[in-house]
Amino acid sequence: MGEIILKTDNLTVDFKVKKSVFGKHDRLSAVQNVNLEIRKGEIYGLVGESGCGKSTFANAILGFVPITSGSFELCGHTVNSKTKQSEWKEVRRHLQTVFQDPYSSLNSRFTVWQIISEPLYIAGERNEKILRERAAELVEKVGLSLQDLDRYIFEFSGGQRQRVAIARALITNAELIICDEPTSALDVSVHSQICNLLLDLREEYGLTYLFISHNLSLIKHITERMSVMYLGEVMESGSTDEIFRNPVVPYTKALMSAIPEVNPTEKRERIILSGEARSPINPPDICRFAGRCPNATDICRTMPLPQAVSVGNEHFARCHLCEKG
């Protein structure tokens, strides 16, 4: 068991939605009571369908959206809904992120060295020589050249831009780097290049990643542990190998069955989910997957989702069916 970098405690994020001009606010439940631990030096995967709350969870850790309830602990700092901005400033020193879209996340009016060194400048470093030297060191680490330092970001391809974004995330020596679908906006031909670069940098610098994706094949290849989310709730978590070998929650099984099979002669039973996803606005306190679950019982449709139970070695699930064994 390694040192815990990030630990969340029932982290919840809600948004207020107006019914009408004179109506009361509804509650949109984006993230609900999420508990997970990320250890130093590992790559932790967070997967689920689009709209399940993966990016909102990451944005809450980064301080981009307010926490409604619960808390998280990062490198000895505890953060909750009452944390002041002055305290957030210290927490953010331990965090960096690689966003999904390298076209909109990088300032087109900055040169490459200015983009890479910007987090260090914000942290207080004002010596331009030091900023440029540090950027020059990292630009080569991510597979670009020193001649690229004075070019503008619109001169680069998507894969090259994401390399610049990765260099920017490294410059402050952050303990945790959040990769929010870092390959989904790129051509398929460069997916493996970016993933291999992240793996190489992890080995060289001892980095810790929270890797968010809906690509299960990628998650299987790159992560050691993972959590599966559905409509804001973690349904299953644990060792990546264990979950892929023995998924127990019906939602996880359905996701696994949709992974394209490399061997055309090997048959796999595809689980087709019927029904519509439940609205996240004012959701009832029951299992949010019950309306689509092929194995749902009356208890699933009337009782709150149980606490996570162990179903194997470092393998946990939240499901009434698992609770019953």
Side-chain angles (χ1 to χ4, degrees):
M1 297 289 288
E3 174 191 352
I4 296 175
I5 293 289
L6 174 70
K7 180 178 182 179
T8 66
D9 182 16
N10 291 325
L11 190 69
T12 299
V13 178
D14 294 335
F15 298 103
K16 291 182 178 179
V17 181
K18 274 190 176 181
K19 285 184 178 179
S20 64
V21 177
F22 302 104
K24 295 182 179 179
H25 287 95
D26 285 334
R27 177 179 68 92
L28 190 155
S29 178
V31 175
Q32 183 71 24
N33 296 329
V34 171
N35 295 288
L36 58 81
E37 295 179 353
I38 300 178
R39 302 167 188 160
K40 184 177 178 62
E42 77 173 346
I43 304 178
Y44 194 100
L46 190 59
V47 303
E49 296 172 301
S50 295
C52 73
K54 305 184 299 294
S55 293
T56 302
F57 172 80
N59 288 338
I61 301 299
L62 292 163
F64 295 160
V65 298
I67 297 171
T68 303
S69 64
S71 63
F72 71 86
E73 185 174 336
L74 176 70
C75 299
H77 300 276
T78 301
V79 177
N80 53 38
S81 59
K82 298 181 180 179
T83 300
K84 299 177 181 178
Q85 284 301 316
S86 57
E87 298 173 89
W88 263 111
K89 185 176 181 180
E90 182 59 33
V91 172
R92 290 192 182 103
R93 294 179 184 273
H94 303 280
L95 286 166
Q96 281 297 334
T97 185
V98 179
F99 293 100
Q100 175 179 351
D101 185 4
Y103 292 89
S104 60
S105 63
L106 303 176
N107 193 329
S108 61
R109 292 186 289 181
F110 281 12
T111 59
V112 167
W113 80 265
Q114 290 173 324
I115 290 173
I116 295 175
S117 63
E118 185 180 16
L120 200 57
Y121 180 88
I122 293 172
E125 180 58 65
R126 293 294 185 266
N127 188 313
E128 184 173 319
K129 182 180 179 181
I130 293 176
L131 293 172
R132 189 178 177 92
E133 287 177 351
R134 183 70 174 131
E137 174 189 338
L138 290 173
V139 79
E140 291 187 311
K141 291 290 185 182
V142 298
L144 299 175
S145 68
L146 294 178
Q147 286 72 31
D148 294 324
L149 286 173
D150 292 308
R151 296 173 64 190
Y152 288 91
I153 201 65
F154 58 78
E155 302 177 57
F156 294 89
S157 67
Q160 290 172 321
R161 294 182 189 204
Q162 202 64 303
R163 291 174 185 270
V164 173
I166 292 170
R168 180 179 65 176
L170 296 178
I171 198 164
T172 57
N173 299 316
E175 279 83 355
L176 176 64
I177 296 178
I178 297 177
C179 301
D180 189 0
E181 306 216 32
T183 62
S184 63
L186 307 177
D187 293 338
V188 176
S189 59
V190 299
H191 280 200
S192 60
Q193 296 175 21
I194 296 300
C195 289
N196 289 334
L197 173 62
L198 290 170
L199 290 172
D200 291 342
L201 292 171
R202 193 271 293 259
E203 291 298 322
E204 182 171 354
Y205 291 101
L207 302 174
T208 304
Y209 297 131
L210 170 60
F211 199 95
I212 299 171
S213 180
H214 59 263
N215 186 334
L216 284 168
S217 298
L218 179 58
I219 288 293
K220 182 180 181 181
H221 168 69
I222 202 172
T223 69
E224 288 98 10
R225 294 192 304 132
M226 62 181 286
S227 289
V228 180
M229 287 187 74
Y230 181 79
L231 284 183
E233 293 187 319
V234 171
M235 309 295 286
E236 192 163 355
S237 61
S239 162
T240 300
D241 289 340
E242 176 66 21
I243 291 176
F244 273 86
R245 182 167 51 249
N246 181 35
V248 295
V249 174
Y251 175 63
T252 308
K253 291 180 179 180
L255 289 181
M256 299 295 183
S257 75
I259 300 175
E261 183 54 59
V262 176
N263 186 352
T265 62
E266 183 175 334
K267 294 183 178 180
R268 178 192 296 159
E269 181 184 357
R270 177 70 190 276
I271 301 174
I272 306 297
L273 299 176
S274 60
E276 294 185 6
R278 185 182 302 277
S279 171
I281 298 178
N282 299 329
D285 191 15
I286 61 174
C287 175
R288 299 184 179 188
F289 185 59
R292 302 175 70 194
C293 180
N295 303 325
T297 65
D298 289 340
I299 293 178
C300 304
R301 301 183 183 95
T302 57
M303 299 296 292
L305 198 64
Q307 295 297 315
V309 296
S310 176
V311 291
N313 183 27
E314 288 194 32
H315 188 181
F316 300 90
R318 296 183 65 197
C319 179
H320 290 286
L321 302 175
C322 298
E323 191 179 39
K324 290 181 177 181

